Amino acid sequence: TAKAFTAYFGFSCVQNGPGLVMGIYHGIPPGLVLGGGTVMGLTLYRMVFGREYDPVVRYRPYGAIWFGAITGALMGVFLALLIGSVYKLESLKELGWVDTSFDKWDQIKEMFTVSYCALTFPLTSLALGLAFALMTNALRGSIVWQEFIDKQQAITSFSQIIRVTKDIFWIALPYSLPIWTLVPIAAVFGLALMSLGDKRPFQWPTMEQKDFWGAFDDPAPANIRYDPVKRAEFEKAQIERRTAWKKSTTGRILGLIGDCTSKMVGGFTCIIGMGLGIVLCRHGLRIGPRDIHG
């Protein structure tokens, strides 16, 4: 939902125009890869490498923090490589990620080592994985979470799932500060890298209306509707204008805000899902047959 909302206004570093459906399409794969991969990494540590009676506070066990950060960074690199492999060269040029590439290998190399745009994914994903670990450590060490887990029973209805999910939301919310702080900090470093890769002098962001809504195309003049030459020229001009906006400091800040907001909201919901999974694993799911004719 967060990705669809921000993508509707074109606030994204990975899409070249506004679009709600486009945002949903672009949000599902990263959510599955980043959220699911990082949670699986933390679960692997807890089940295989972690010890049951280790002291648990926000900063311990240290292994969980390392696993969360490394898994998040690896998922971010994978997503950036996926973008470089799937997106066409023209699309990456419109996003401002590449300028001079001619093939897939060149464009992936330029994304990481010249424009540095692809590095924002590992940076913010590392921060999200680190936030996951800190948040789950704090939750596991809290008395309120232990009391909540101990008083649960087997899940027997859908309404009980909704009730348990709401309880987990309110329990987890006070411990979610790392998500709302670490990801924006990483985004600032990502913006600095993108500005470093830009060959133009640094431009301070502007908040004029035309800059804020730069992802939207200008209204097409009525006289180009039946003139293919003028229509092609108008479309080319719009692409050039959008590309310039994507490369601007304002466009990049808004794009990072949109992408990081979806990561933070999606990451918090992953923690809620992880908590619900713990309840199901501890107490089980027992929904019996019902008489639909009675």
Side-chain angles (χ1 to χ4, degrees):
T1 303
K3 179 65 176 175
F5 177 77
T6 56
Y8 176 79
F9 299 101
F11 300 161
S12 175
C13 293
V14 295
Q15 64 184 67
N16 55 6
L20 187 145
V21 176
M22 190 188 303
I24 295 174
Y25 175 76
H26 286 165
I28 292 175
L32 293 174
V33 172
L34 180 56
T38 308
V39 167
M40 285 181 61
L42 287 173
T43 304
L44 177 67
Y45 173 80
R46 307 283 189 201
M47 301 297 293
V48 178
F49 302 101
R51 289 179 292 183
E52 182 68 24
Y53 299 105
D54 273 350
V56 180
V57 291
R58 185 179 292 276
Y59 303 104
R60 296 186 66 182
Y62 305 118
I65 297 175
W66 281 105
F67 256 76
I70 293 172
T71 307
L74 290 176
M75 294 301 104
V77 171
F78 175 76
L79 286 172
L81 290 173
L82 195 64
I83 290 171
S85 302
V86 173
Y87 278 39
K88 292 183 178 180
L89 180 60
E90 293 78 10
S91 298
L92 290 174
K93 285 184 176 180
E94 289 183 33
L95 293 173
W97 285 38
V98 299
D99 282 321
T100 60
S101 300
F102 293 99
D103 57 33
K104 288 292 183 183
W105 171 246
D106 282 342
Q107 70 186 33
I108 291 174
K109 184 179 178 181
E110 185 175 350
M111 285 164 44
F112 281 96
T113 63
V114 179
S115 70
Y116 304 127
C117 290
L119 294 180
T120 58
F121 271 82
L123 273 175
T124 54
S125 300
L126 183 152
L128 185 63
L130 182 61
F132 273 14
L134 293 173
M135 184 176 172
T136 53
N137 278 356
L139 271 172
R140 284 188 68 219
S142 67
I143 296 175
V144 64
W145 175 253
Q146 294 300 327
E147 291 177 347
F148 171 77
I149 290 293
D150 291 340
K151 75 177 184 180
Q152 296 306 306
Q153 300 176 348
I155 300 294
T156 58
S157 65
F158 183 75
S159 60
Q160 186 180 355
I161 292 176
I162 299 297
R163 186 171 64 253
V164 170
T165 302
K166 288 181 179 179
D167 291 341
I168 295 173
F169 173 88
W170 291 113
I171 292 173
L173 188 60
Y175 298 91
S176 63
L177 183 63
I179 292 179
W180 314 115
T181 54
L182 293 179
V183 175
I185 290 172
V188 172
F189 283 99
L191 177 65
L193 281 174
M194 294 168 78
S195 300
L196 185 64
D198 199 343
K199 303 302 183 292
R200 301 171 301 171
F202 179 78
Q203 300 173 338
W204 289 101
T206 58
M207 295 306 293
E208 297 180 13
Q209 186 173 358
K210 65 181 181 65
D211 295 324
F212 195 77
W213 305 113
F216 290 90
D217 288 339
D218 297 328
N223 62 347
I224 71 168
R225 179 175 299 179
Y226 303 106
D227 190 331
V229 175
K230 289 184 178 180
R231 188 165 64 246
E233 291 176 352
F234 175 79
E235 292 173 355
K236 181 181 179 181
Q238 293 306 301
I239 291 174
E240 292 175 351
R241 186 195 56 77
R242 284 202 310 269
T243 301
W245 182 77
K246 284 289 183 181
K247 289 183 176 182
S248 69
T249 306
T250 303
R252 284 175 170 171
I253 288 176
L254 292 174
L256 286 170
I257 288 174
D259 290 341
C260 289
T261 299
S262 63
K263 280 187 178 181
M264 291 185 292
V265 174
F268 182 64
T269 56
C270 280
I271 296 297
I272 296 174
M274 191 177 182
L276 180 61
I278 292 172
V279 172
L280 290 171
C281 289
R282 290 282 185 93
H283 300 281
L285 178 67
R286 188 170 63 246
I287 299 179
R290 294 186 178 184
D291 183 9
I292 61 174
H293 301 290

